[in-house]
Amino acid sequence: MSNNWPPQTLLVNTEGIINECESLEVTPEYAERSVLVPAIAMAAFLVTGEYVYARHLWRRWKQNCPSDDEAQALTDWWRVGRAMMESKPETIWHSLARIQQEHPAPLNHYATEVGDAYRRRVILKYPKTAMRSQPFLRLMNFSTAEQVQQFIAQNQEALAEQAANQNKASQISSIIGMLETTPVSFPKFDGSSIIDLTI
């Protein structure tokens, strides 16, 4: 087991964290760290977008959690994963907020990382023209176009890395280019007019 357990972030060596969680499940050391292992594994799967693996983890553990705390943590994280699979943004963001408020460290910190990874996947999934729509803002849990643009600007490196991993490098270049060169129009929430945002 790593000396840095539990990990303070899921963004460094995420696959290694998943492998360590899987190893801990079958070792005697697991009993010492059991409260966090399934929840950490679930959060790591959600960072990587591996929803099927998250579902398998849920099925494997939902009836076998040794404690109520472990069962609740895993249930809360699976609620996020299931909502991601079913594309239910209100449930995703409500559940992540609950985890941030009610779970112990570092699980509460993972909620931000999982949310940001989800936002990056949404950006890469939809064409930039979709980013002008109210449903897109709802998926991102943002209320304004400025928030989307700020998120893209702050996450250019992570978006480029994620795009490379998904073979979508040309799409991210287009999105980042949008930030640098063109004014973007996003509809207001009431739909009555267009807000012109020059970057």
Side-chain angles (χ1 to χ4, degrees):
M1 181 185 322
S2 168
N3 292 333
N4 297 325
W5 191 264
Q8 296 305 302
T9 180
L10 296 174
L11 302 180
V12 177
N13 192 18
T14 308
E15 294 298 324
I17 292 168
I18 291 169
N19 291 337
E20 188 155 359
C21 288
E22 290 172 351
S23 294
L24 285 171
E25 286 183 41
V26 296
T27 64
E29 295 171 341
Y30 175 76
E32 299 170 17
R33 306 285 185 193
S34 64
V35 172
L36 297 178
V37 171
I40 291 170
M42 179 73 72
F45 283 134
L46 298 181
V47 163
T48 62
E50 297 288 350
Y51 306 134
V52 172
Y53 291 119
R55 182 177 57 208
H56 289 309
L57 177 74
W58 167 249
R59 289 177 177 167
R60 193 168 66 243
W61 279 100
K62 68 181 176 182
Q63 301 297 326
N64 300 315
C65 289
S67 73
D68 290 342
D69 289 343
E70 187 173 10
Q72 186 60 55
L74 190 61
T75 299
D76 289 347
W77 279 104
W78 174 238
R79 189 174 294 117
V80 173
R82 184 175 173 186
M84 287 178 174
M85 286 181 79
E86 296 173 355
S87 208
K88 295 182 176 178
E90 292 82 10
T91 304
I92 294 167
W93 299 110
H94 174 76
S95 299
L96 286 172
R98 177 182 169 166
I99 289 168
Q100 279 185 318
Q101 294 169 0
E102 297 178 7
H103 283 228
L107 292 177
N108 58 357
H109 175 70
Y110 299 163
T112 300
E113 295 176 339
V114 167
D116 286 351
Y118 175 76
R119 284 179 173 132
R120 289 189 294 271
R121 283 192 299 277
V122 168
I123 287 169
L124 294 173
K125 181 177 180 179
Y126 293 96
K128 66 181 182 181
T129 54
M131 293 180 199
R132 300 178 176 148
S133 69
Q134 189 60 39
F136 182 81
L137 290 175
R138 195 169 46 255
L139 276 174
M140 297 287 285
N141 195 38
F142 289 142
S143 56
T144 67
E146 290 91 351
Q147 290 173 307
V148 174
Q149 291 176 328
Q150 183 179 24
F151 180 82
I152 292 170
Q154 292 172 347
N155 286 272
Q156 287 184 30
E157 187 176 316
L159 280 163
E161 183 179 327
Q162 203 163 326
N165 292 340
Q166 296 177 10
N167 296 320
K168 294 185 175 185
S170 63
Q171 184 176 354
I172 193 60
S173 297
S174 173
I175 292 167
I176 291 171
M178 173 183 80
L179 283 174
E180 296 170 350
T181 59
T182 59
V184 181
S185 297
F186 291 85
K188 283 186 173 182
F189 276 109
D190 63 7
S192 63
S193 63
I194 300 295
I195 304 169
D196 184 26
L197 303 170
T198 304
I199 302 173

